[in-house]
Amino acid sequence: VNDGHFVVRRLEAEYIKPAKLGDLIEVKNELLELKKASLILKQMIYKEDVLLFSMTSTLAYVKEGKPSKIDEETKAFFESLLH
């Protein structure tokens, strides 16, 4: 991502129901917030419309080992997901 990458800063997960090997599951992603140097992402796993797992994570953008502003190209990609 233009010489930078995302690292997990915060993670909150809730295991609601189990799934087993061979189950057909669906993973849904939702971008909740896009900031200058981080974003908040929600991920949910469903089996037949039943929520099995939910996770909210805060990802920080890092360049050369230091927090950095998200570059315009990457930011434009994520902004397109918000609309």
Side-chain angles (χ1 to χ4, degrees):
V1 190
N2 295 334
D3 297 325
H5 58 277
F6 288 94
V7 296
V8 177
R9 182 174 186 272
R10 183 172 193 270
L11 181 73
E12 183 179 322
E14 182 178 2
Y15 298 91
I16 301 163
K17 292 186 176 221
K20 59 182 183 255
L21 187 62
D23 285 351
L24 183 60
I25 60 170
E26 179 180 10
V27 179
K28 295 182 180 181
N29 297 289
E30 181 180 352
L31 182 60
L32 299 179
E33 188 173 355
L34 180 61
K35 299 180 180 180
K36 291 180 182 179
S38 66
L39 58 88
I40 300 174
L41 180 66
K42 183 170 185 173
Q43 296 177 300
M44 298 144 292
I45 298 176
Y46 291 87
K47 177 185 167 193
E48 299 175 0
D49 296 324
V50 175
L51 182 63
L52 305 178
F53 174 82
S54 178
M55 177 177 77
T56 303
S57 56
T58 301
L59 305 176
Y61 190 68
V62 175
K63 272 188 175 181
E64 298 177 9
K66 297 179 182 179
S68 180
K69 281 187 179 180
I70 300 171
D71 63 84
E72 291 303 316
E73 182 181 349
T74 303
K75 193 171 187 176
F77 169 77
F78 283 109
E79 284 175 338
S80 73
L81 301 175
L82 287 171
H83 302 105

